[in-house]
Amino acid sequence: MKPEKLDQFMYAVMKEARRNSLMELLDTWEISESEYEEIKEWFWKEHKVNL
């Protein structure tokens, strides 16, 4: 199952790719560390992509 905030996360990453801090990026887009971990797990399980 696709994580709830996956679309928001991907949009944020693409738009803010030049930022220095991933945690600042996640905070800006209101994505918690646990939600980010869920997103990472989903990418690995579904596509074998390690973020």
Side-chain angles (χ1 to χ4, degrees):
M1 176 184 290
K2 183 171 102 170
E4 179 180 331
K5 293 204 176 184
L6 177 62
D7 294 336
Q8 182 179 5
F9 173 77
M10 292 307 297
Y11 178 78
V13 169
M14 297 303 290
K15 184 174 182 193
E16 304 292 337
R18 291 195 231 168
R19 280 189 181 257
N20 293 327
S21 169
L22 176 61
M23 300 323 282
E24 184 180 332
L25 173 88
L26 295 176
D27 187 48
T28 298
W29 288 91
E30 299 178 357
I31 299 171
S32 70
E33 286 185 54
S34 63
E35 289 167 329
Y36 174 66
E37 290 300 321
E38 181 183 353
I39 290 165
K40 283 178 33 177
E41 287 177 28
W42 182 85
F43 267 106
W44 180 250
K45 287 177 184 175
E46 295 294 321
H47 303 289
K48 300 297 185 234
V49 172
N50 192 12
L51 298 179

